[in-house]
């Protein structure tokens, strides 16, 4: 009898807790997209103001295997092709 009462109380508590969390999430006021986006951009610009584009050490090493590469059209946007660089091991099969 006591176990059944404890289970019932636990179930009721779990449901009540779930409802509280759901109501809190539904009533929260999210920040304006313009404000959060601009502040994020400004923070990132400040954090990375002294960054320089420097290749990692591995990028300056010769390839361990022969590589083939080409420019490929990845997509078409408003009738214009979007091109990118595609590289793969020369021995690889498939595209």
């Amino acid at each position: 009898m006591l176990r059944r009462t404890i289970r019932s109380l636990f179930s009721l508590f779990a449901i009540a807790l779930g409802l509280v969390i759901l109501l809190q999430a539904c009533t929260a006021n999210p920040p304006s997209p313009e404000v959060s986006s601009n502040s994020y951009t400004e923070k990132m610009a400040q954090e990375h103001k002294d960054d320089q584009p420097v290749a990692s050490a591995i990028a300056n090493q010769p390839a361990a295997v022969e590589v083939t590469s080409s420019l490929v059209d990845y997509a078409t946007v408003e009738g214009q092709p979007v091109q990118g660089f595609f590289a793969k091991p020369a021995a690889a099969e498939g595209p």
Side-chain angles (χ1 to χ4, degrees):
M1 179 78 174
L2 180 60
R3 285 185 177 177
R4 187 178 302 165
T5 303
I6 291 173
R7 282 187 193 158
S8 296
L9 287 175
F10 181 75
S11 297
L12 186 60
F13 175 75
I15 291 170
L17 181 62
L19 287 173
V20 168
I21 292 171
L22 179 65
L23 289 173
Q24 180 63 31
C26 291
T27 59
N29 293 328
S32 166
E34 295 91 25
V35 173
S36 63
S37 178
N38 289 338
S39 63
Y40 175 79
T41 303
E42 290 168 4
K43 287 178 185 176
M44 289 301 286
Q46 183 65 27
E47 288 290 325
H48 295 281
K49 67 181 180 185
D50 297 323
D51 288 1
Q52 296 293 319
V54 178
S56 65
I58 195 71
N60 294 320
Q61 299 295 317
V65 296
E66 186 179 343
V67 177
T68 60
S69 62
S70 62
L71 281 176
V72 296
D73 292 342
Y74 283 102
T76 303
V77 177
E78 296 180 3
Q80 299 295 318
V82 177
Q83 291 188 323
F85 187 76
F86 178 73
K88 67 175 186 171
E93 296 181 13

